[in-house]
Amino acid sequence: MTHEGVCAATKKAIRLAEEAGAVISFYTDGVKWINERYQIPLILISMGKRGSRAYVTQ
């Protein structure tokens, strides 16, 4: 987030999501939350420059 406008928009989006009760989680906790509610067999997570992860539920 190098541009001031992008940074401000991201912060506002996070604030609005939190106010709406959305779950904001990164990686493992988010996958656990999704699986508890929706039992999705394959969840793919992008981690930007750090790669990606695939979670498989059988």
Side-chain angles (χ1 to χ4, degrees):
M1 295 188 302
T2 58
H3 188 273
E4 185 176 317
V6 172
C7 183
T10 301
K11 288 179 180 181
K12 182 176 181 178
I14 291 171
R15 180 179 53 80
L16 292 173
E18 289 174 338
E19 289 173 3
V23 172
I24 299 175
S25 178
F26 296 97
Y27 314 131
T28 304
D29 290 340
V31 170
K32 181 179 176 184
W33 186 90
I34 290 169
N35 272 331
E36 287 173 354
R37 286 157 181 77
Y38 305 106
Q39 296 79 47
I40 297 173
L42 175 62
I43 299 175
L44 303 172
I45 305 294
S46 173
M47 298 175 10
K49 291 181 181 181
R50 296 186 342 200
S52 62
R53 290 185 182 177
Y55 293 83
V56 179
T57 304
Q58 298 191 13

